[in-house]
Amino acid sequence: EADIYQTPRYLVIGTGKKITLECSQTMGHDKMYWYQQDPGMELHLIHYSYGVNSTEKGDLSSESTVSRIRTEHFPLTLESARPSHTSQYLCASSEWGQVYNEQFFGPGTRLTVL
Amino acid sequence: RKEVEQDPGPFNVPEGATVAFNCTYSNSASQSFFWYRQDCRKEPKLLMSVYSSGNEDGRFTAQLNRASQYISLLIRDSKLSDSATYLCVVSQTGANNLFFGTGTRLTVIP
């Protein structure tokens, strides 16, 4: 089992609230990622990080922001949640420099914005 | 055009059946290929990497055809526990991004 954790697992919140989705891994991986997945749809990368103080936007535009102050921690923040942000958010991590970019996923946070 | 396209499914097969999933990718520079498995409302988990020469892991066989930009997954002697969505995943070596297909849902029926 991968040692990557996400909290909360489920979140129902009203429009306009600020939320932070937590992601932590204990594998010492340098690379971390955030994906968004709607039901029945493919995963889309919204943010990634190569290490501490490194953050980049992914292929899918997102109003969320991320930070990477510690290797093991990669939180995602929405300053003002809207119903269009309702989705599942999956955090993943991988080692640096592997030939094959195998990623390990956390259990996900299912976000519902009312 | 999508980076990765998969058989839409769903596949409903009896226990013991052999089932094959196909996947095509659009970027000829892609170097890394994987099959991930995702159970309902769970996170994706790596099932197997796909090597150029093809590879087998128990009842699972993965094959890669670079000329046709095509990947396949064969499951022999299907078990009830094989019921899941199978995701075809592609990336370029060292790249930050994995491109996921929408997945093919498999249901193995007793």
Side-chain angles (χ1 to χ4, degrees):
Chain A
E1 292 292 322
D3 295 321
I4 179 164
Y5 311 97
Q6 290 185 244
T7 56
R9 292 291 309 277
Y10 303 91
L11 178 62
V12 181
I13 201 162
T15 297
K17 300 291 186 183
K18 178 180 178 179
I19 58 171
T20 297
L21 308 185
E22 302 288 348
C23 175
S24 295
Q25 51 93 8
T26 59
M27 297 175 282
H29 287 169
D30 287 312
K31 290 184 174 180
M32 294 189 75
Y33 315 82
W34 276 103
Y35 290 88
Q36 186 173 339
Q37 184 181 32
D38 293 320
M41 303 297 288
E42 62 266 49
L43 281 78
H44 287 287
L45 182 71
I46 51 174
H47 297 285
Y48 63 97
S49 167
Y50 286 139
V52 171
N53 294 326
S54 153
T55 61
E56 301 287 346
K57 289 190 178 295
D59 297 322
L60 183 66
S61 175
S62 174
E63 294 167 346
S64 58
T65 59
V66 292
S67 62
R68 190 87 184 276
I69 298 171
R70 303 198 316 266
T71 299
E72 62 271 21
H73 195 212
F74 192 39
L76 180 146
T77 298
L78 275 165
E79 289 294 331
S80 179
R82 294 193 277 110
S84 61
H85 297 139
T86 294
S87 188
Q88 169 150 278
Y89 293 83
L90 288 155
C91 181
S93 72
S94 67
E95 288 184 19
W96 178 271
Q98 276 192 311
V99 174
Y100 293 101
N101 199 16
E102 179 182 347
Q103 296 183 8
F104 298 89
F105 285 83
T109 294
R110 193 169 296 275
L111 173 65
T112 302
V113 183
L114 303 175
Chain B
R1 186 184 171 189
K2 288 189 174 184
E3 291 279 345
V4 180
E5 302 215 44
Q6 293 186 240
D7 282 352
F11 285 63
N12 299 313
V13 303
E15 265 187 296
T18 295
V19 60
F21 303 139
N22 302 317
C23 167
T24 57
Y25 59 95
S26 61
N27 190 338
S28 59
S30 298
Q31 292 291 328
S32 303
F33 309 93
F34 311 90
W35 284 100
Y36 275 71
R37 169 188 170 136
Q38 187 172 26
D39 292 296
C40 188
R41 294 181 171 268
K42 296 287 187 70
E43 72 274 23
K45 292 187 177 180
L46 180 68
L47 177 66
M48 58 196 303
S49 301
V50 186
Y51 303 121
S52 297
S53 54
N55 48 300
E56 188 174 308
D57 183 2
R59 297 182 293 109
F60 299 85
T61 300
Q63 299 221 303
L64 168 65
N65 183 323
R66 285 188 185 274
S68 302
Q69 295 181 203
Y70 170 100
I71 307 158
S72 66
L73 176 68
L74 184 77
I75 305 175
R76 291 182 298 278
D77 189 22
S78 300
K79 312 289 185 193
L80 297 176
S81 57
D82 293 334
S83 298
T85 296
Y86 291 83
L87 306 174
C88 177
V89 185
V90 171
S91 84
Q92 296 161 25
T93 300
N96 47 274
N97 201 4
L98 293 179
F99 292 98
F100 288 79
T102 54
T104 302
R105 184 187 296 272
L106 171 67
T107 301
V108 181
I109 304 162

